[in-house]
Amino acid sequence: MTDTRPRRFDLIAFDWDGTLYDSTRLIARCIQAAVVDVGGARPSESDAAWVIGLGLAEALARAAPDVPKEKYAELGHRYRFHFLQHQDDLVLFDGVLEMLDALRARGHKLAVATGKSRRGLDEALSTVALRDRFDASRTADETFGKPHPRMLLELMEELEVPAERTLMIGDTTHDLQLAINAGCASVGVSYGAHEPGSFDVLAPLHVAHSVDGLSQWLVENA
């Protein structure tokens, strides 16, 4: 049966890590290992997870405040080393592909707004399962990182969708603040990097506790 309900949002932009991809714990552990490798104090898992979603350089600097700037390049190299050892272990959360297909069937434009690098995102999007499922994407190394609004503004301009018809979905306060800064609505997910209690002051329309819950909310409200 065809869903004839009108769309509230024409563009739905997703964060990647911790929202669509089950990668939060691995990223946090790679950050911890990289900091120790360059002589810094090992950040807690929660502190390492908090910076996920920021651009890599900013994330590593915040996670390792005792590491001098001259070691930032080495810190980045060590993070990439650890991540590459395990990147093939990462998977999409269950239900993500079905959710994306249902949204596309309803005529939504889909985009990715992520703190990942362009190279890293392109490697993920090159898989058969994800090819052609998104209309556009932006990464932190080709524009401003979150929560600066530039990446979301660029996506809206490219896809010709105004802010009031755009929804940002993410697992961190960086994602929700990005939406506010770009003048868009947001939805948070509680199964990623940040505690959902921190979302309250950023007033998302909804906080989903699973991909199935997110998919159902989008069907009924987006």
Side-chain angles (χ1 to χ4, degrees), residues 124-203:
L125 292 177
S126 68
T127 65
V128 173
L130 287 168
R131 193 170 295 136
D132 301 325
R133 276 189 161 91
F134 294 97
D135 298 286
S137 61
R138 287 296 186 280
T139 61
D141 61 344
E142 64 188 5
T143 184
F144 285 92
K146 302 172 185 178
H148 193 286
R150 177 67 65 83
M151 68 169 64
L152 202 46
L153 294 174
E154 288 179 353
L155 288 168
M156 290 188 288
E157 181 178 8
E158 177 180 344
L159 298 174
E160 300 181 327
V161 179
E164 63 269 19
R165 302 286 297 180
T166 299
L167 179 67
M168 176 69 203
I169 300 174
D171 68 311
T172 71
T173 55
H174 315 309
D175 299 310
L176 305 189
Q177 188 64 56
L178 165 65
I180 291 172
N181 293 347
C184 302
S186 69
V187 164
V189 301
S190 67
Y191 51 80
H194 285 191
E195 290 295 325
S198 62
F199 297 164
D200 293 346
V201 296
L202 299 171

Side-chain angles (χ1 to χ4, degrees), residues 95-107:
V96 163
L97 293 180
E98 293 83 357
M99 175 180 67
L100 296 177
D101 287 344
L103 293 172
R104 289 184 66 84
R106 292 188 69 215

Side-chain angles (χ1 to χ4, degrees), residues 26 30 33-34 37 77-86:
L26 172 60
C30 291
D37 284 352
H77 290 314
R78 294 308 298 169
Y79 168 80
R80 293 184 185 92
F81 168 81
H82 289 291
F83 186 83
L84 288 172
Q85 306 309 301
H86 299 281

